[in-house]
Amino acid sequence: MDIALIGLAASGKTTLLHALAAGHLPGGHTSPTETAMAVVKVPDERLDRLAAAVSARKTTYLELRLMDFPGFSVGRKGPPPQLLGTLSTADLLVHVVRSFSEESIPHPLESIDPDRDIAALELELIFADLAVVERRTERIQVEARSLAAGARGPLDRELALQRRLKEALEAEKPVRSLGLTAEEKTLLSGFNLLTGKPLLNVLNIDEADAPRTAEIEAAAREKHAGPDADVIAIAAKAEADVAELPADEAAEFRRELGLPEQAAAERLLQETVSLLGLITFYTVGPQDTHAWSVSAGTPAVKAAGRIHSDIERGFIRAEVIDSADFLEAGSHAEAKRRGNQRLEGKTYEVREGDVINVLFNV
Ligand SMILES: Nc1nc2c(ncn2[C@@H]2O[C@H](COP(=O)(O)OP(=O)(O)O)[C@@H](O)[C@H]2O)c(=O)[nH]1
Ligand SMILES: [Mg+2]
């Protein structure tokens, strides 16, 4: 899964990347004009405990790819088309919004106004989508003309959908707010509409405001949370500094600064997994205890395919234990003895936190 960090210049994108990927990045800040990339592991306490229960030699976390994009210009100039093009492959957008005051760092729009910046960037994404939708609408109309009236059904249906999108975008509504059905989403999947992607707004707040994080987030959620959209507040610079410290010093520092107990990286990455509509299941063993992700509603046989294509092909059934039960029991054998293990077939929809052992035959 690819996560794109976007936002105005000097909003703190690169600083946030450092807070999220401390230790996984080449030294120094990346240049303001280049896209940097980091692969980060999603912290998962439940996975840690499962691994500890079986003394796993290896623990494998979910991984996300973070891309730190150059600053977005908004308004008359707008963002360059190639920047918007590269964004289209992202699975989720993280908009880093300047909320810190620091006078020595100029804001491209000259004042600190997070609500304005969120709206301005959204508008750029809306314009970009509108251009895509208009192009597609014209093309459908041309194509439809070359078909016999009886063969136009699918194109007519798509045309109706594209018109609905156009109307919404012209009213400055993002595609993600329209509550499209799974079928409609599939129909649109090739167009990579930017406002159809889930969006996490990150308010980059002053260190001095860190003790009020929860309060700031609650107020911002009222305005900016919605379907597939959320907002969190992070003091990116302080978090980036703390991320460099060993664990015990970090905890002390967090208390001193009044930073939330849970590290920003952990909060943001977990929020990201949930906005992506992913659920996490586990395979637990002494060699490797492993977190896997699938989209909600995935049947067990497909989930097995995430582990290995042979396991999908030879799927017989899945032994499933809820991770809370597993942790209480301490092992597969004990959970089974307690009656916590279920046998599920190919169509079983994997649930958040399942510990799964697939029986297969190849
Ligand atoms: N005071 C303060 N400065 C910050 C914060 N976040 C970033 N900065 C500073 O703002 C400048 C721009 O940050 P950077 O992460 O490079 O922004 P980018 O252009 O969005 O990548 C740098 O000098 C950062 O040290 C913050 O939360 N507080
Ligand atoms: Mg940068």
Side-chain angles (χ1 to χ4, degrees), residues 14 35 53 60 74 76 101 110 135 148 189 198 203 239 249 252 269 275 278 337 362:
T14 303
T35 302
T60 311
V74 294
R76 242 171 314 145
S101 38
E110 285 161 14
R135 265 201 308 276
S189 61
L203 302 180
E239 292 281 352
E249 279 178 51
E252 195 182 318
L269 296 172
L275 271 175
L278 297 178
R337 202 189 60 78
V362 282

Side-chain angles (χ1 to χ4, degrees), residues 48-64:
D48 293 334
R49 286 163 54 213
L50 290 167
V54 298
S55 309
R57 279 200 277 153
K58 187 170 161 227
T59 307
T60 311
Y61 297 84
L62 295 184
E63 286 186 350
L64 297 173

Side-chain angles (χ1 to χ4, degrees), residues 13-14 30-32 68-69:
K13 298 175 291 298
T14 303
T30 46
S31 113
D68 174 19
F69 278 85

